[in-house]
Amino acid sequence: MNLFYNPKGVGNVAFLKIDTVEGPFEYEKYGDIVAIKKENQVVGLNIFNADEHLTLEGQGHIKFTEAHANAIQKAIDASALDYQLNADFSPKFVVGYVKSKEKHPDADKLSVCQVDVGTETLQIVCGAPNIEQGQKVVVAKVGAVMPSGMLIKDAALRGVASSGMICSMKELNLPNAPQEKGIMVLDDSYTVGQSFFNA
């Protein structure tokens, strides 16, 4: 979920993006809450009089926290909208271990990897030339928002399912990132499954 707040440009309205879908949308107003729907599913919320419901610091893209989720749920419950937020606050950028690497059956430059992220093993299709079995890597899990703004979703690359992305330093917007293509390989001091940015 992504929370946006731009009081100078838009006024005292917060926008919570729940799902990334293309319009057109339907809008239903419930007091200070406007439910944004697509095919009768809530895909976003506008929270009017936002600073009365939420503690918001800064503007633009705001880091969505459990406190925000609780405050928005309280505002929803006080309105006539029947909706339960299901926010996932588990880390989205984690240390993974490449258990196996196989050649993609339909693309020379792609590899199909099985990556242990601590709680599960993800199948991730990777195009980096330096990916190898036995490496510790940074994995952007489904639901992660990259520094570029791209949302990581379940996908199929040339017909092979891929859940997540193995990241390069450049993709993570880290300082001194090399220009050549290649994923970031971590040393053994990192623990599989730990949050990368809190490491």
Side-chain angles (χ1 to χ4, degrees):
M1 294 188 188
N2 294 307
L3 186 62
F4 301 92
Y5 184 57
N6 181 2
K8 288 181 182 170
V10 182
N12 189 17
V13 184
F15 168 59
L16 180 67
K17 182 165 78 172
I18 297 167
D19 197 5
T20 304
V21 292
E22 297 291 318
F25 303 110
E26 301 94 47
Y27 298 87
E28 295 176 6
K29 192 169 187 337
Y30 302 86
D32 280 349
I33 305 288
V34 172
I36 304 164
K37 293 186 173 184
K38 171 81 174 184
E39 295 169 357
N40 223 26
Q41 297 292 316
V42 176
V43 297
L45 297 169
N46 281 330
I47 301 106
F48 287 83
N49 301 310
D51 63 4
E52 293 176 22
H53 300 287
L54 298 162
T55 302
L56 295 160
E57 293 178 10
Q59 63 174 12
H61 188 271
I62 307 281
K63 183 174 169 56
F64 186 55
T65 65
E66 287 188 62
H68 290 136
N70 293 336
I72 291 171
Q73 188 62 57
K74 191 174 172 186
I76 292 169
D77 293 345
S79 76
L81 174 61
D82 180 17
Y83 182 72
Q84 186 69 40
L85 274 180
N86 289 311
D88 175 9
F89 290 100
S90 64
K92 293 292 177 279
F93 293 91
V94 297
V95 176
Y97 176 78
V98 183
K99 292 166 66 176
S100 69
K101 168 198 162 185
E102 294 177 4
K103 190 175 173 307
H104 190 293
D106 197 31
D108 287 342
K109 292 186 178 177
L110 297 179
S111 301
V112 182
C113 302
Q114 302 299 321
V115 186
D116 178 2
V117 291
T119 53
E120 59 187 324
T121 297
L122 302 174
Q123 178 168 287
I124 301 176
V125 177
C126 179
N130 64 329
I131 185 80
E132 294 296 342
Q133 182 177 332
Q135 290 172 332
K136 285 184 179 177
V137 295
V138 183
V139 176
K141 295 170 72 176
V142 170
V145 178
M146 300 300 293
S148 65
M150 181 177 74
L151 176 69
I152 301 299
K153 298 190 278 190
D154 281 314
L157 295 172
R158 290 284 190 94
V160 175
S162 183
S163 296
M165 185 168 106
I166 300 172
C167 303
S168 69
M169 289 180 69
K170 193 174 178 185
E171 287 161 338
L172 293 168
N173 202 24
L174 296 176
N176 305 315
Q179 292 307 302
E180 62 269 18
K181 280 188 173 180
I183 48 106
M184 181 181 185
V185 180
L186 303 174
D187 62 40
D188 280 338
S189 66
Y190 289 87
T191 302
V192 172
Q194 78 179 106
S195 170
F196 174 69
F197 286 113
N198 296 332

